[in-house]
Amino acid sequence: MILIGASLSVRAQDTLARRAAYIGLDVINSLPSFVFAKGYYIRNTAIIEPYYLLDLKKPGRRLYLGAGFASGSTHQYTDFSPSQAFKGTYFRAAYEVRRMRSVHRILYAGYGPIISIAGYKGQYHFNGPTFGDYEGQFRETNNVALGFEGYFGFDFKLAKTWLLRLTFRNVMGRRTKADSYVQYFPGFGYTIEGLNNRFLYSGGLSLQLHYKIR
Amino acid sequence: MKHLLPVILILSGIVVQSCVDCGPQAELSARIRFNELYELDSIYALNAVSQEPITRQLTDGTPRQVDELPISLLSDTTTYIFRSGQRIDTLSIYYQRIFRYKGGCGFVTDAGEPATGRHYYSTFSKTEIDYNTYVRPGQQPWFGSNPGSGISIYILP
């Protein structure tokens, strides 16, 4: 059994020889929402984003796969745009090109699709001085958004097996259903108030730590 | 003269500036008009937590009348009792409450014609009720904007 396993791994190494692969994790995405819970646009939000990088056959080309989970809430925008609690899962893939800037710093750029499934809920309030106040609720589950992401950034080689990735990204997408509005869409990010409720556009930066597995 | 074009551009930008009608985003009121001289002694709304917003209008005006009747956010009907001398009248109005999200506003509150059933119950000799949105769709010009007029009631005592 062990022999078969060993021979298989040897064969795998033969075919994928010198094609590096990394696994990584976003390390700062959720931090500001806890540290600056009052000022940041989301608060107490857990964001977990694992990544997988695989060098392609063509030199300087790479496949980038990412998953993500986010759970938290937004701030109240106005009296009539109340705080929203959200939860979502998303997946992204990208084709990446890189250029060596120095041995320790590599510039890269990539693009690819993103899909996100999210749910969110909240409460709104209307004052009724004569007959009493009205409390309304909104809730949406399994809201699907499809989008396209473009990004660029730098890889910093920390050691032989560790890679620090700083990524600046722009993402736009469309929700398949837009019955109620959304302030933060997991995987897409902050949505500008007043912009079309169905269209999502956001940008941001991400800092990831990657470990070379092959 | 060199700066005339930018100035014109900025000014025309201000003139064509428009805004969206968000409506009251609070407890709605129906306009009420009595088309005869009718002096109200008192008015009372059923299921109200406070009569003050209604009675305040009575003490201010001459003749003693009301212009606006708040309608309940919690029910699709509101009933008022009017007293004028020896005469006591009842008016119930029916409507359909609408709570929705509107871009640029947040959540808005609106009321419309009930989908089924009667529009009012009244002991006045003639009553008319007119339904109009409180939240007018589309863009509103900055000058001479025309916000939603809401529900209007006309009464012949």
Side-chain angles (χ1 to χ4, degrees):
Chain A
M1 215 38 201
I2 294 161
L3 275 174
I4 295 166
S7 72
L8 273 175
S9 74
V10 165
R11 271 183 56 199
Q13 271 176 9
D14 281 348
T15 51
L16 297 171
R18 300 192 181 281
R19 283 171 61 188
Y22 291 86
I23 49 166
L25 205 62
D26 188 290
V27 286
I28 58 157
N29 233 334
S30 55
L31 264 183
S33 75
F34 288 99
V35 180
F36 311 109
K38 286 223 168 75
Y40 201 52
Y41 65 98
I42 45 175
R43 56 184 175 180
N44 302 340
T45 301
I47 301 173
I48 302 159
E49 289 187 350
Y51 292 97
Y52 179 68
L53 295 174
L54 177 69
D55 278 4
L56 298 175
K57 260 189 195 140
K58 204 173 169 190
R61 304 293 191 274
R62 187 179 262 172
L63 176 72
Y64 167 90
L65 297 173
F69 172 79
S71 174
S73 62
T74 62
H75 283 281
Q76 173 174 311
Y77 280 18
T78 68
D79 284 353
F80 306 107
S81 285
S83 159
Q84 297 186 345
F86 56 83
K87 202 172 271 188
T89 310
Y90 45 97
F91 302 94
R92 50 165 66 97
Y95 178 72
E96 190 177 303
V97 180
R98 65 178 189 275
R99 293 274 179 278
M100 205 76 118
R101 282 283 175 253
S102 75
V103 182
H104 297 290
R105 191 164 63 95
I106 297 155
L107 173 74
Y108 61 84
Y111 58 88
I114 174 166
I115 180 169
S116 177
I117 303 150
Y120 44 94
K121 60 184 178 183
Q123 280 186 343
Y124 57 93
H125 182 100
F126 288 112
N127 281 331
T130 322
F131 296 98
D133 295 0
Y134 179 85
E135 290 281 351
Q137 284 175 2
F138 60 93
R139 168 190 285 271
E140 205 155 329
T141 49
N142 296 329
N143 201 228
V144 178
L146 293 166
F148 189 79
E149 186 177 63
Y151 64 89
F152 74 95
F154 295 98
D155 276 348
F156 301 94
K157 274 193 175 154
L158 297 182
K160 217 174 172 185
T161 48
W162 291 96
L163 199 65
L164 190 69
R165 268 166 81 88
L166 177 68
T167 305
F168 300 89
R169 57 172 164 231
N170 254 301
V171 57
M172 59 182 84
R174 204 180 135 87
R175 293 202 283 156
T176 51
K177 195 172 66 166
D179 295 340
S180 53
Y181 79 123
V182 65
Q183 291 164 345
Y184 177 90
F185 205 96
F188 285 85
Y190 173 79
T191 316
I192 302 159
E193 165 78 340
L195 204 70
N196 187 327
N197 195 23
R198 193 176 281 273
F199 182 73
L200 303 166
Y201 176 81
S202 194
L205 67 103
S206 157
L207 192 67
Q208 302 153 17
L209 196 61
H210 286 255
Y211 180 73
K212 192 173 185 177
I213 52 167
R214 193 168 68 201
Chain B
M1 243 6 222
K2 204 170 69 178
H3 301 295
L4 195 62
L5 190 66
V7 168
I8 288 173
L9 278 176
I10 289 165
L11 282 179
S12 60
I14 291 169
V15 169
V16 299
Q17 187 66 248
S18 56
C19 51
V20 288
D21 183 10
C22 295
Q25 291 183 299
E27 196 170 62
L28 302 173
S29 286
R31 291 181 191 187
I32 184 161
R33 297 287 177 271
F34 297 90
N35 72 350
E36 246 175 42
L37 198 62
Y38 173 73
E39 284 261 336
L40 266 172
D41 287 323
S42 69
I43 180 165
Y44 182 83
L46 261 57
N47 291 323
V49 293
S50 164
Q51 301 290 337
E52 208 269 328
I54 302 175
T55 50
R56 192 176 46 212
Q57 298 177 55
L58 273 186
T59 52
D60 291 353
T62 26
R64 289 160 60 81
Q65 279 196 358
V66 285
D67 292 326
E68 298 203 318
L69 292 173
I71 62 172
S72 178
L73 289 165
L74 302 174
S75 164
D76 281 340
T77 174
T78 306
T79 300
Y80 312 89
I81 314 287
F82 300 80
R83 195 170 66 81
S84 173
Q86 291 301 304
R87 180 175 168 174
I88 292 172
D89 285 288
T90 304
L91 171 71
S92 291
I93 60 168
Y94 296 81
Y95 45 88
Q96 187 180 18
R97 290 167 298 149
I98 299 157
F99 299 98
R100 65 183 176 92
Y101 177 78
K102 184 173 180 184
C105 297
F107 283 94
V108 296
T109 173
D110 197 359
E113 193 174 336
T116 55
R118 63 196 309 161
H119 288 175
Y120 62 85
Y121 167 83
S122 172
T123 57
F124 289 110
S125 59
K126 197 168 178 229
T127 303
E128 260 179 59
I129 183 161
D130 206 18
Y131 295 94
N132 241 308
T133 179
Y134 285 86
V135 188
R136 204 177 287 277
Q139 296 283 315
Q140 291 291 310
W142 238 35
F143 297 109
S145 68
N146 183 21
S149 52
I151 297 171
S152 302
I153 306 160
Y154 304 95
I155 283 172
L156 188 68

